[in-house]
Amino acid sequence: MKPGQTQRTPWIVGVSGASGTHYAAAVLRALLDAGESVDLVVSRASRLTLLDETGISFRDAHWQDDLREWLSMGADGKPGTFAVDVTQVRHWSAGDLAAGPSSGSYPAKGMLIVPASTACVAGVALGLSKDLLQRAASVTLKEGRPLVVAVRETPLNGQTLRHLVALDDAGATVMPASPAFYAGATHIQHLVDFVAGRVLDAVGVTHRLYRRWAGELGGSRPA
């Protein structure tokens, strides 16, 4: 690092193969809007989900163009809904186990797994580190950094519940991707943004993704 240069300390965002790639997009947009740097890990399985849910192919060789297209899309599938700048994102291939986030000496503020599949939950809970996403999560836990796991599955069987308890015991925040309706949602994007906002609340990142509860009954009704 050059004299006078500020060290880059990103949030690591892992995207696993669960349904809910729009949740990941909302989290990424909000982090960038808040002036945060992001290290992105997109699992192999999540690329299939992304293709199915959005029609976008995420390719390592063209990740910036593909990411820009993904983040600009609304939850209703409309392209060009959001203006995005991805210059503060660094992408690491999920198969690169020598990547920066694989080491505890690599500076990072913490990690957000959005969405988290049950396979991802199991891998992190058991410390398997079969790919960079799982390895980065294990590093986050061992270094005592914030780890949010936005699990997206229903119903949950006993095995997955035990894995989630193990993650909670290890210091992770288990955040089911469960939209709420008290914020006055009238559009699918509002439901997506609520989940993304709760993920960011868990790590103290400022955002304006949803209307907060103010203690007034009926306040969520559309005007």
Side-chain angles (χ1 to χ4, degrees):
M1 188 168 60
K2 297 179 181 179
Q5 184 177 7
T6 303
Q7 183 182 55
R8 181 180 181 275
T9 308
W11 287 100
I12 302 169
V13 176
V15 187
S16 79
S19 177
T21 54
H22 292 300
Y23 292 133
V27 166
L28 288 165
R29 284 193 299 266
L31 285 171
L32 296 174
D33 287 346
E36 301 284 351
S37 297
V38 175
D39 275 20
L40 178 63
V41 182
V42 181
S43 76
R44 291 177 61 186
S46 70
R47 298 176 192 224
L48 298 176
T49 307
L50 180 65
L51 179 62
D52 184 56
E53 293 183 343
T54 69
I56 296 170
S57 297
F58 193 90
R59 303 158 295 175
D60 287 342
H62 306 279
W63 70 267
Q64 287 179 311
D65 291 337
D66 297 338
L67 179 63
R68 192 177 296 108
E69 182 182 6
W70 176 20
L71 298 191
S72 68
M73 179 179 290
D76 59 359
K78 183 179 179 181
T81 299
F82 300 99
V84 293
D85 179 0
V86 300
T87 56
Q88 293 304 309
V89 180
R90 183 172 186 178
H91 166 255
W92 300 95
S93 173
D96 185 3
L97 291 176
S102 69
S103 172
S105 66
Y106 182 79
K109 292 183 177 179
M111 184 173 184
L112 315 173
I113 305 178
V114 188
S117 66
T118 54
C120 173
V121 166
V124 177
L126 297 173
L128 298 183
S129 295
K130 75 176 185 66
D131 61 9
L132 179 60
L133 194 159
Q134 292 184 13
R135 172 58 186 170
S138 294
V139 167
T140 301
L141 288 175
K142 81 179 182 68
E143 295 296 321
R145 297 168 184 160
L147 172 65
V148 178
V149 180
V151 60
R152 216 306 308 162
E153 184 60 271
T154 190
L156 296 171
N157 62 27
Q159 187 177 46
T160 298
L161 290 170
R162 286 187 286 272
H163 290 151
L164 292 172
V165 170
L167 289 177
D168 179 77
D169 288 343
T173 298
V174 176
M175 180 77 64
S178 302
F181 295 85
Y182 63 78
T186 58
H187 188 278
I188 187 175
Q189 188 67 56
H190 299 153
L191 298 174
V192 168
D193 286 348
F194 179 87
V195 171
R198 294 298 287 146
V199 169
L200 297 176
D201 286 346
V203 292
V205 174
T206 302
H207 65 86
R208 294 191 296 175
L209 287 174
Y210 69 89
R211 184 168 61 193
R212 298 183 181 277
W213 176 250
E216 181 183 352
L217 292 176
S220 66
R221 296 172 187 167

